[in-house]
Amino acid sequence: MKFWRVNLVLIFLIIFGLALSAKLFLIQIRDHEYWKALAQGQQKFFDQKEGKRGEIFLEIQNNDVKILPLAINKEEELVFVSPFDISKKGKDFEEVAKELSQILKEDENSILEKIQQGEKDESLYVLIKNRLNSEEVGILKKANLPGVHLKKENLRYYPQEEFASKVIGFLGGDSGGQYGIEGYYNENLTGSEGIQGGERSAWGYLIKLTSKPIEEGSDLILTLDYNIQFTAEKLLKEAKEELGIEGGQIIVGDPKDGKILAMADFPSFNPNQYTKELNLEVFKNSTIQKIFEPGSVFKPITMVAGLDTKKVTPETKYVDEGIIKIGGYKIYNYGQRTWGNQTMNEVLEKSINTGAVFVERQIGHQTFLNYIEKFGFFDPTGITLQGEVFSTNSNFKKGYEVNFATASFGQGIEMTPLQLFRAISVIANGGKMANPYIVKKIIKDEKEIITQPKVSQNLIVSQDAVNQVTSMMINVIEKGYGKTAKVPGYYIAGKTGTAQIPFGALGINRSGYSDKTWQTFVGFAPAFNPRFVILVKLDNPKSRTAEYSAAPIFGKLAKYIIGLWQIPPDQEVEEK
């Protein structure tokens, strides 16, 4: 009896084991289907679908308003291979690659490398080519190659190809917007995922419902004018052929409200084939993503500040000696010319560097700095495009005498083309600043959100100063270096500018300036009731100065817009 407790525990364990075995038999064998159904029935199920990405358009004003698509969604077919399926069906990778190469007109070795890499990475499938044409799809279906599969997918498509590509940007491989509108408005354009699902009982009854509706992205309507944008891009392409430019930008806008009508940047790219671009710099929109020194196109800003402070008038005289010495630095006029007695009118007309230095000295360094800040050169414009940059102008702000001198005529001070465009637009808009904008409408669920222009009610400079500098800028066109920008019958206000490019801007680790130039022309028309402002900037054209490069392009585009809008002339044109 002394082992009775041990025996009792042993008997209990045997009984418990038999009971557990019986229960497992009932669950796993006899009632297997019941418990399987119950388990399956109580599992959560979901069906996820992604909302359609919003699309991007232009409005074309004819007799009826028409919509021009810039970025849309399009169902395309792609071909992919399964390395596992190819091997399973006893085919060689080389054989499949060869047949695909012949059908798709793609490099055989490149296809083979993709398949081999897919096998190495144990990938379920490897993308070979997307955006197949109907002929390729038809041949692939007939060929029925082992391990080769077709699939339909929604892809981003840009029907106008290179047109306004620097403005639009593109949809990247990660389905996220890159650059331009696609990048900045990615959240607005992206549709949210819809979810439908729930839980069912063992007998199929729905006991819980989970539902989230699909939300489509917003559509965008841009402010660009198709005809003006197309013409601006065409002029830059011609400048490449005729002037050998390394790059160039044109901005056109309405100075009264900041509406951007054209934003062209050369060279451009085809967003449908962005993966083929090896140089990522081509994706950057130079009007907002690259800084430059403007040269003499900055002189109207210096002059209007002098006029606004009443430190100078258009008739104020000074004596130009052709050179100004500041410490160890020497400042010359273009071509090292000496002009003698000159008025402020003649300073702009003849683009005299020492005259701009004279005006800055009359204003005073701190006041000059304040005006530059009021004109927005130390702040971004806030345009709704991804990646806008701006310079802090830290070297200029150090306050050295020579820095203020050179900044007065646009060297040693940095900005983006759009910042300069905005500043000149202040003069064209009677002293008020309008923030540039490029999206006219956001459309969501058939509701339109129309962009409200942001125009400051405070004057940056007085109307008197604006009127005076406008007249001086007209003289630049009528008598000075801007004659090639003239449009017969119209008063045009404008200014040329040719600036040496610093070595640093060329990626060369060296102080000082290279022999390359930025050549710029900026102006507005009609001068006394401006309808548009145009900025033309060319990167290192073969011509000597902007008088022979940017100014003629301005003239061609201004004449085109005047004809397009049928703007009445300011004066009769004499027939010769």
Side-chain angles (χ1 to χ4, degrees), residues 146-205:
V148 177
H149 307 280
L150 291 168
K151 180 185 176 183
K152 290 183 178 181
E153 66 172 354
N154 281 321
L155 295 177
R156 200 62 159 175
Y157 179 63
Y158 302 92
Q160 312 308 321
E161 298 185 337
E162 291 191 10
F163 177 82
S165 61
K166 297 289 189 79
V167 171
I168 300 164
F170 56 88
L171 191 66
D174 59 352
S175 296
Q178 302 289 325
Y179 300 92
I181 294 291
E182 291 275 33
Y184 190 93
Y185 285 93
N186 187 58
E187 189 173 333
N188 301 76
L189 291 165
T190 303
S192 65
E193 286 188 341
I195 301 175
Q196 277 206 323
E199 298 179 10
R200 295 185 183 277
S201 69
W203 298 273
Y205 294 109

Side-chain angles (χ1 to χ4, degrees), residues 110-145:
S110 176
I111 294 174
L112 180 59
E113 286 176 9
K114 289 180 181 179
I115 300 173
Q116 290 172 336
Q117 188 63 44
E119 181 190 41
K120 182 179 178 181
D121 297 339
E122 298 182 351
S123 301
L124 294 176
Y125 69 87
V126 178
L127 175 65
I128 300 300
K129 186 179 180 181
N130 57 19
R131 302 186 190 277
L132 300 177
N133 60 44
S134 57
E135 182 182 1
E136 290 169 335
V137 171
I139 297 173
L140 284 168
K141 284 181 178 179
K142 288 181 181 178
N144 194 27
L145 300 174

Side-chain angles (χ1 to χ4, degrees), residues 311-423:
K311 298 296 183 181
V312 297
T313 70
E315 291 75 33
T316 298
K317 293 183 178 180
Y318 90 110
V319 179
D320 168 47
E321 296 178 348
I323 185 173
I324 293 177
K325 296 179 181 179
I326 302 174
Y329 297 94
K330 295 178 182 179
I331 295 173
Y332 296 96
N333 295 319
Y334 174 73
Q336 297 191 9
R337 294 191 64 173
T338 301
W339 296 94
N341 285 317
Q342 297 292 308
T343 65
M344 294 301 102
N345 264 319
E346 291 169 315
V347 165
L348 276 195
E349 181 186 316
K350 299 172 182 176
S351 199
I352 305 173
N353 291 345
T354 62
V357 177
F358 170 82
V359 176
E360 192 279 329
R361 286 178 169 176
Q362 303 310 301
I363 299 170
H365 297 338
Q366 187 56 53
T367 303
F368 180 58
L369 190 67
N370 292 342
Y371 272 95
I372 291 175
E373 186 170 10
K374 286 199 296 181
F375 272 96
F377 289 111
F378 299 149
D379 300 302
T381 67
I383 195 166
T384 54
L385 294 172
Q386 189 180 59
E388 182 181 18
V389 302
F390 68 101
S391 173
T392 60
N393 281 286
S394 56
N395 284 333
F396 167 58
K397 288 180 180 178
K398 288 177 180 177
Y400 298 129
E401 180 80 15
V402 68
N403 291 350
F404 283 104
T406 59
S408 71
F409 55 86
Q411 290 270 196
I413 184 170
E414 300 174 325
M415 60 199 66
T416 64
L418 190 62
Q419 283 179 304
L420 177 60
F421 175 88
R422 176 177 64 175

Side-chain angles (χ1 to χ4, degrees), residues 220-248:
L220 304 178
I221 309 291
L222 305 189
T223 62
L224 298 180
D225 182 296
Y226 175 81
N227 295 306
I228 300 175
Q229 177 74 25
F230 180 87
T231 304
E233 292 185 6
K234 180 171 175 282
L235 287 169
L236 287 176
K237 289 175 183 176
E238 290 175 357
K240 172 62 177 176
E241 296 298 318
E242 297 168 7
L243 298 168
I245 63 171
E246 295 176 6

